[in-house]
Amino acid sequence: MRLLHTSDWHIGRTFHGHSTDEHLAQVLSAIADAVAEHSVDAVIVAGDIFDSSTPKSGAFTLLADALLAIRDHGAQVVLTSGNHDGPARLAHNAAFARAGGVHIKADHTDLASPVTLTDGHGEVLVYGLPYLHPEFMRSAYSDFTGSTHQDALTFAMDQIRADARDRAGGSDAQGGTPPRYVVAAHCFAASAAGTAPPETTEDTGRAEERDITRGGLNLVGLATFEGPAYTALGHIHSRQTLSDTVRYSGAPLRFSFGERSSAKGMWLVDIGVDGLESATWLELPTPRAAVRLEGTLADLVAPGAHPDAEDAWVEAILTDDQLPRDAMRTLQSRYPHAVTLAHRPATRHDAGPRQYAERVEGKSDAEVIEEFLTYVRNGAGPTEAEQALLNDALDAIDAREATR
């Protein structure tokens, strides 16, 4: 049985306010091409199909196009809902989709109903778990009393293991052999050391994902996923191998500059007669790179500077002593897709140890304004033209006060 593990498509998400729909469509088309090239039997998408619980109409069109392309190449599809998805919207017409080979798992009241796939060795069961919030679980199951995401995933996995044993004709102690099965889940799983898995991003050192922590709900122990031949995880946006059988695929597209150093792709998973045989990383195309440029504005826009960034998403860090006027507009004249700008002067003006009140004590209004501008402009006071305007304004105030 050959599976393709992907996750976190986040259809509808923007890159610093700019639509990613066109780029995501290219990447999802590449996923469909990989299905054909590698003779994939089923594609698993482990949560966060959409970026919002109320996606726009175009997001449904993009999803439908991607699913049709995958199905045209013969693979079935298993989708689970993530913390960004609206389960009811995602699962709308799920019964109709199932008839077409697209299986949507978004119902937290139906955890142990697998998608049954068949190969030359028999059945492979795919259990898709939606994002399981403990509050939803308590309302659905009278015997669930947990309060953390660990509790919710443990409860769900116990149901799955029991169902797999029942399908083998009894428990292991009674001689039954559980069938081969795969689990898809959307959560923040711990590494083998019991800690949050390390990220490969240069900046943050951790997952580039919106916070879902509410009272420690997020972390789920690796041992929770014992039993399946393979566990396809979603939620973290870069690939992670927590064990041979438990992996994150990451998002297929970069959605922030924090992800610029992480490879984007998916896992090609082969399930043999005895379980997992191999998991091979397949890289996906990068429609637009994300780069960080640092230097003075003049250096960054100099002729011939950074030609590889001209069509990339650009995060600029300006090191000028003072922030140049219209800096972003100037950057975008050279880098049309510059979307963020930060100012980090290479040298910083030392205002000394005195407090601001001490520095301006006994000074005239003009001197106080000059002191303020020097402080906020990293050592650069008012220009000659600015000083003339300030003097005129102060003289006008003095004249008005004298007439009162």
Side-chain angles (χ1 to χ4, degrees):
M1 179 66 60
R2 175 160 283 184
L3 308 174
L4 200 56
H5 166 203
T6 177
S7 73
D8 295 273
W9 288 3
H10 285 280
I11 300 172
R13 191 163 188 168
T14 62
F15 191 97
H16 294 272
H18 297 263
S19 173
T20 62
D21 289 354
E22 180 181 348
H23 295 162
L24 185 58
Q26 295 177 40
V27 172
L28 297 182
S29 178
I31 292 176
D33 292 342
V35 169
E37 178 182 354
H38 297 281
S39 300
V40 171
D41 297 299
V43 175
I44 297 174
V45 191
D48 281 353
I49 313 305
F50 296 119
D51 191 58
S52 167
S53 60
T54 56
K56 59 186 180 182
S57 60
F60 288 96
T61 301
L62 200 160
L63 175 61
D65 289 345
L67 297 179
L68 284 170
I70 291 171
R71 290 294 294 132
D72 282 346
H73 293 308
Q76 296 196 59
V77 185
V78 180
L79 304 172
T80 70
S81 58
N83 58 296
H84 283 246
D85 295 308
R89 288 180 183 269
L90 180 63
H92 180 62
N93 280 335
F96 182 76
R98 183 167 61 249
V102 176
H103 309 271
I104 302 173
K105 296 296 183 178
D107 185 357
H108 63 281
T109 66
D110 186 25
L111 304 177
S113 297
V115 177
T116 302
L117 307 175
T118 305
D119 63 9
H121 304 296
E123 293 182 346
V124 175
L125 309 176
V126 180
Y127 294 90
L129 294 178
Y131 179 71
L132 300 176
H133 196 288
E135 291 181 9
F136 300 156
M137 297 290 285
R138 285 195 297 272
S139 66
Y141 298 95
S142 59
D143 54 341
F144 178 79
T145 59
S147 60
T148 68
H149 210 186
Q150 172 70 70
D151 297 333
L153 267 295
T154 298
F155 183 89
M157 288 301 301
D158 286 345
Q159 286 201 4
I160 288 172
R161 282 186 283 261
D163 183 74
R165 287 194 299 269
D166 290 344
R167 290 170 185 272
S171 67
D172 293 340
Q174 296 171 325
T177 302
R180 298 167 297 163
Y181 65 101
V182 170
V183 171
H186 195 84
C187 66
F188 198 13
S191 68
T195 59
E199 269 286 355
T200 57
T201 56
E202 296 175 6
D203 299 341
T204 61
R206 59 165 298 161
E208 190 60 39
E209 172 56 66
R210 302 175 195 178
D211 181 33
I212 62 167
T213 304
R214 294 292 183 272
L217 292 182
N218 59 341
L219 198 61
V220 178
L222 181 60
T224 308
F225 302 106
E226 290 180 356
Y230 183 79
T231 300
L233 294 179
H235 184 55
I236 291 180
H237 283 192
S238 67
R239 68 175 178 182
Q240 297 289 335
T241 300
L242 304 187
S243 72
D244 286 343
T245 61
V246 182
R247 300 170 188 257
Y248 285 96
S249 66
L253 188 69
R254 289 176 177 84
F255 293 114
S256 75
F257 287 105
E259 301 175 43
R260 69 183 186 277
S261 61
S262 61
K264 295 302 179 182
M266 51 202 168
W267 292 107
L268 184 67
V269 179
D270 284 327
I271 306 295
V273 63
D274 296 318
L276 179 67
E277 288 188 346
S278 66
T280 305
W281 180 251
L282 301 180
E283 288 204 4
L284 286 166
T286 302
R288 176 168 291 145
V291 301
R292 169 185 287 175
L293 302 181
E294 184 169 355
T296 66
L297 181 61
D299 289 342
L300 295 187
V301 299
H306 307 289
D308 58 328
E310 292 177 358
D311 192 45
W313 298 117
V314 172
E315 175 188 33
I317 299 175
L318 298 185
T319 59
D320 303 77
D321 288 344
Q322 288 81 45
L323 180 63
R325 181 174 297 178
D326 290 332
M328 179 58 90
R329 184 181 302 175
T330 303
L331 277 169
Q332 289 176 336
S333 68
R334 176 64 186 279
Y335 309 105
H337 307 294
V339 292
T340 68
L341 184 152
H343 183 217
R344 299 178 190 171
T347 59
R348 291 189 177 275
H349 173 65
D350 186 2
R354 294 183 302 160
Q355 296 295 320
Y356 179 73
E358 297 175 298
R359 295 201 305 272
V360 300
E361 185 177 3
K363 293 186 176 181
S364 67
D365 289 344
E367 290 171 329
V368 169
I369 293 172
E370 181 179 357
E371 175 74 23
F372 173 77
L373 290 175
T374 301
Y375 180 77
V376 299
R377 288 179 171 179
N378 195 34
T383 65
E384 184 176 342
E386 289 172 338
Q387 190 65 62
L389 289 172
L390 288 170
N391 290 338
D392 289 344
L394 291 172
D395 289 344
I397 292 173
D398 290 342
R400 187 175 63 185
E401 290 293 324
T403 62
R404 290 186 175 183

